Amino acid sequence: MNNKYFSILGDSISTLEGYSEPAGAEFYDTANKIASGVLVARDTWWGRVIDHFGSKLSVNNSFSGSTVCRISQYEIESYSCSKERTSSLSRNGIIPDVIMIYMGTNDWGRGIDISREGCAEGEKEYLFLTAYETMLERIKAKYPDAEIWCLTLAVSKCRTVHDFSFPYSYSGRHITEYCDAIRHCAEKYGCRLIDLYNNCEPYDTIDGFHPNADGMKTIAEGVIGEIAKD
């Protein structure tokens, strides 16, 4: 896998000041970089994965607070099933060889519906499973030769908060509902499943969700471990 180009489609967990596109949409800005110890690309989960495989970053399209689903009150098309984000994973004519997708945490946090019986075409971008399908369809149409890795949501911890308990159910939805939808979509569209929920140790955070440097290392090890199974 040496010398391949990787792109990332993600939310705040995958951002980094100076690397996220569009600029200014990152969680890991100057203050949070210092608080987390995530200072440079090699401190991030994606940077560690790319370094491990001797590869290069193409585009990090990670937008803090973004969801897979379309959110009606947002004017900016930050949701990852949008045409804008699914078509912005290459630069200078270089098509990514691998696209890593780590999305869904904010959909879970908002309690977005997974699916709905007989949903209309116009509803698909507003439901998690069909929005994830739309995202993959658009990426595969734009980058037909890229290998797509779909990451399920990982469990977190927070060592600095002695009574922290991971909220498996959030906004009325259990995290496994979103992980199951991601598994379904990865299989349906022939993508590589990286099952962090089942095969990654809880990653450490600065606030319960955003990884510190140790947490980034844990996520990276989970991704690398899943690829090593082949």
Side-chain angles (χ1 to χ4, degrees), residues 127-148:
L127 301 169
F128 184 75
L129 189 146
T130 48
Y132 206 101
E133 289 182 339
T134 298
M135 175 181 68
L136 294 183
E137 288 170 1
R138 287 174 171 167
I139 291 173
K140 290 180 77 71
K142 182 72 175 180
Y143 309 103
D145 297 324
E147 184 175 341
I148 302 172

Side-chain angles (χ1 to χ4, degrees), residues 111-204:
I112 298 291
D113 287 343
I114 304 296
S115 61
R116 188 173 300 127
E117 189 71 26
C119 74
E121 186 66 28
E123 289 184 282
K124 288 187 175 181
E125 290 187 349
Y126 295 90
L127 301 169
F128 184 75
L129 189 146
T130 48
Y132 206 101
E133 289 182 339
T134 298
M135 175 181 68
L136 294 183
E137 288 170 1
R138 287 174 171 167
I139 291 173
K140 290 180 77 71
K142 182 72 175 180
Y143 309 103
D145 297 324
E147 184 175 341
I148 302 172
W149 298 0
C150 299
L151 283 61
T152 60
L153 308 182
V155 174
S156 61
K157 63 183 180 181
C158 191
R159 287 185 296 180
T160 59
V161 179
H162 75 278
D163 58 349
F164 176 79
S165 178
F166 183 76
Y168 288 91
S169 290
Y170 207 81
S171 296
R173 291 281 186 182
H174 198 281
I175 189 174
T176 54
E177 296 180 67
Y178 300 89
C179 292
D180 286 344
I182 293 169
R183 294 186 191 102
H184 168 84
C185 292
E187 181 176 7
K188 180 176 179 178
Y189 289 92
C191 302
R192 179 77 68 98
L193 177 66
I194 308 295
D195 198 348
L196 296 181
Y197 181 80
N198 283 324
N199 299 302
C200 182
E201 294 293 321
Y203 67 89
D204 198 21

